[in-house]
Amino acid sequence: MERKDQTAILPPSKADVSNRSQVIFIGVGFAIIVGGLWLLYDVDGPYHPDIPVTETQVSDTADS
């Protein structure tokens, strides 16, 4: 008589769930940092006024 062992699908262990949570947390944090840098450097906000620059790279600014 041959006996076949059936393996049960085990629920994910605590380490697997913790590892997945850490990856999601790091991914969300990375996305927030990249989004903030993109907003600071790529989008012209009020803190990035267009300052005319001459060919000698000297800024022409005036007090108003």
Side-chain angles (χ1 to χ4, degrees), residues 4-58:
K4 290 187 177 181
D5 292 331
Q6 293 182 350
T7 57
I9 298 174
L10 300 174
S13 68
K14 212 170 198 180
D16 292 340
V17 173
S18 177
N19 190 20
R20 189 177 315 145
S21 297
Q22 288 177 350
V23 169
I24 291 170
F25 182 79
I26 291 171
V28 168
F30 185 72
I32 290 171
I33 291 171
V34 169
L37 290 174
W38 178 78
L39 284 174
L40 284 175
Y41 294 111
D42 200 31
V43 179
D44 288 332
Y47 41 84
H48 290 131
D50 291 329
I51 299 174
V53 177
T54 61
E55 290 182 19
T56 60
Q57 298 298 321
V58 177

